[in-house]
């Protein structure tokens, strides 16, 4: 099942400009920057409070014009693109959600930020919200 909010993903045109904005205006701290070619993004994890496990904003900038983020920016402009939940077992939670009629975007999990394993529920099945499932890399970020 779902454990907590892992991050809220925000589509931005320019990653460095967005990082500076979130630091200066909201006082968030950039804890990780990564390029994920499979997902077509350059992304930054912004810790909301002192502990990133308390929840992050993930800034997402497109790497290519065909990427999901480029398409989103074109259609909707910058803004919230996804809500991501931490799960213990992405395969098991994906299967559970499939059994409840949700379309998962991938047959099996792909690689996300920091070596996590990720899958997504199609936004048309989840009330217009792109839902991401995140299984943190071992050792789990959250061992409670
Ligand atoms: C599209 N739609 C959305 C949406 N994207 N609604 C809410 N939130 C979004 N983000 C709506 C769109 O307005 C259309 O509605 C309809 O869905 C189109 O569906 P489609 O033609 O099936 O799909 P596309 O081509 O618009 O693509 C949407 C999906 C795509 C979600 C399938 O963005 C995707 O594959 N996303 C998963 C990968 C991803 O987002 N990667 C970037 C983050 P109408 O007009 O029909 O009503 S990478 C990441 O999060 C990482 C690395 C990490 O967390 O670690």
């Amino acid at each position: 099942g779902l454990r907590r909010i892992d991050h809220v993903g925000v589509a931005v045109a320019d990653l460095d400009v967005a990082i500076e904005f979130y630091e200066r205006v909201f006082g968030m701290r950039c804890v990780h920057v990564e390029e994920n070619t499979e997902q077509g993004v350059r992304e930054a994890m912004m810790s909301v409070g002192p502990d990133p496990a308390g929840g992050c904003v993930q800034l997402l900038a497109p790497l290519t014009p065909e990427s999901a983020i480029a398409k989103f920016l074109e259609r909707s402009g910058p803004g919230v693109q996804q809500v991501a939940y931490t799960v213990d077992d992405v395969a098991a939670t994906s299967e559970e959600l499939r059994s409840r009629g949700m379309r998962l975007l991938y047959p099996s999990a792909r690689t996300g930020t920091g070596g996590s394993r990720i899958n997504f529920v199609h936004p048309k099945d989840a009330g217009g919200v792109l839902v991401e499932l995140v299984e943190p890399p071992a050792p789990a970020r959250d061992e409670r």
Side-chain angles (χ1 to χ4, degrees), residues 3-4 51 53-54 88 140-144:
R3 289 292 178 176
R4 55 186 165 80
D51 183 0
D88 293 329
R141 242 185 273 160
D142 184 348
E143 290 177 335
R144 276 167 294 172

Side-chain angles (χ1 to χ4, degrees), residues 26-47:
F26 296 118
M28 293 187 196
R29 184 169 56 98
C30 181
V31 291
H32 185 72
V33 175
E34 183 174 332
E35 204 168 285
N36 185 325
T37 48
E38 186 177 42
Q39 290 294 329
V41 295
R42 226 183 122 222
E43 51 106 347
M45 278 296 180
M46 307 298 296
S47 184

Side-chain angles (χ1 to χ4, degrees), residues 50-61:
D51 183 0
C56 287
V57 168
Q58 182 186 43
L59 303 174
L60 297 157

Side-chain angles (χ1 to χ4, degrees), residues 13-139:
D14 184 313
L15 193 68
D16 297 323
V17 168
I19 292 171
E20 191 278 330
F21 175 83
Y22 273 76
E23 288 174 340
R24 177 170 49 81
V25 175
F26 296 118
M28 293 187 196
R29 184 169 56 98
C30 181
V31 291
H32 185 72
V33 175
E34 183 174 332
E35 204 168 285
N36 185 325
T37 48
E38 186 177 42
Q39 290 294 329
V41 295
R42 226 183 122 222
E43 51 106 347
M45 278 296 180
M46 307 298 296
S47 184
V48 176
D51 183 0
C56 287
V57 168
Q58 182 186 43
L59 303 174
L60 297 157
L63 277 183
T64 70
E66 307 77 41
S67 63
I69 297 302
K71 214 171 159 183
F72 183 90
L73 286 170
E74 217 169 275
R75 183 153 46 195
S76 314
V80 174
Q81 188 254 353
Q82 55 169 261
V83 175
Y85 300 101
T86 310
V87 300
D88 293 329
D89 182 337
V90 67
T93 303
S94 298
E95 205 39 55
E96 196 171 81
L97 293 174
R98 276 191 200 98
S99 79
R100 295 176 189 157
M102 298 293 102
R103 277 172 295 166
L104 277 289
L105 293 186
Y106 310 136
S108 60
R110 294 188 180 169
T111 301
T113 188
S116 58
R117 304 296 295 165
I118 62 174
N119 207 337
F120 296 85
V121 177
H122 197 286
K124 287 294 162 191
D125 290 350
V129 178
L130 175 60
V131 171
E132 181 182 353
L133 307 175
V134 183
E135 179 184 325

